[in-house]
């Protein structure tokens, strides 16, 4: 009997925010609340920030923390780790403290 390991890629994931807004010095957390399909082989999603002088990102499990560093606007890109190319982009807007 031959066993075939089939990789199941993500087709979508859900975040609990549609944008990131706050003041300089704030930390805003975005949570990944679901992946589709639920049996995806690799449900990990990575987060990066376009302009790290405005905000930085760190990940802990399904939580993505964004430290807002200076006034401005940038983007946070969330990209599936499995190579499927599934991604979402949120706008980060930082105002004065």
């Amino acid at each position: 009997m031959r066993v075939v390991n089939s990789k199941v890629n993500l087709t979508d994931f859900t975040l609990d925010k549609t944008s990131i807004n706050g003041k300089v010095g704030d930390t805003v957390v975005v949570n990944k609340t679901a992946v589709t399909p639920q049996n995806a082989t690799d449900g990990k999603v990575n987060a990066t920030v376009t302009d790290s002088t405005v905000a930085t990102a760190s990940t802990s499990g399904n939580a993505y923390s964004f430290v807002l560093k200076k006034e401005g606007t940038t983007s946070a890109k969330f990209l599936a780790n499995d190579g499927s190319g599934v991604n979402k982009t949120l706008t980060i807007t930082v105002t004065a403290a």
Side-chain angles (χ1 to χ4, degrees):
M1 181 173 158
R2 183 175 167 218
V3 176
V4 177
N5 291 328
S6 298
K7 180 179 176 184
V8 179
N9 282 340
L10 280 180
T11 58
D12 195 17
F13 58 88
T14 305
L15 302 171
D16 68 349
K17 292 184 174 46
T18 56
S19 63
I20 299 167
N21 301 296
K23 296 181 179 184
V24 173
D26 288 352
T27 298
V28 179
V29 177
V30 176
N31 294 291
K32 179 180 67 177
T33 57
V35 296
T36 304
Q38 290 181 338
N39 67 333
T41 304
D42 181 356
K44 184 177 178 186
V45 174
N46 300 306
T48 57
V49 176
T50 304
D51 184 348
S52 62
T53 66
V54 175
T56 56
S58 62
T59 304
S60 179
N62 292 325
Y64 306 88
S65 296
F66 294 87
V67 176
L68 310 182
K69 298 169 65 175
K70 75 171 191 178
E71 288 182 69
T73 302
T74 189
S75 298
K77 184 170 185 177
F78 297 83
L79 178 64
N81 191 62
D82 63 5
S84 62
V86 175
N87 69 84
K88 296 185 186 292
T89 301
L90 303 184
T91 300
I92 301 173
T93 304
V94 184
T95 57

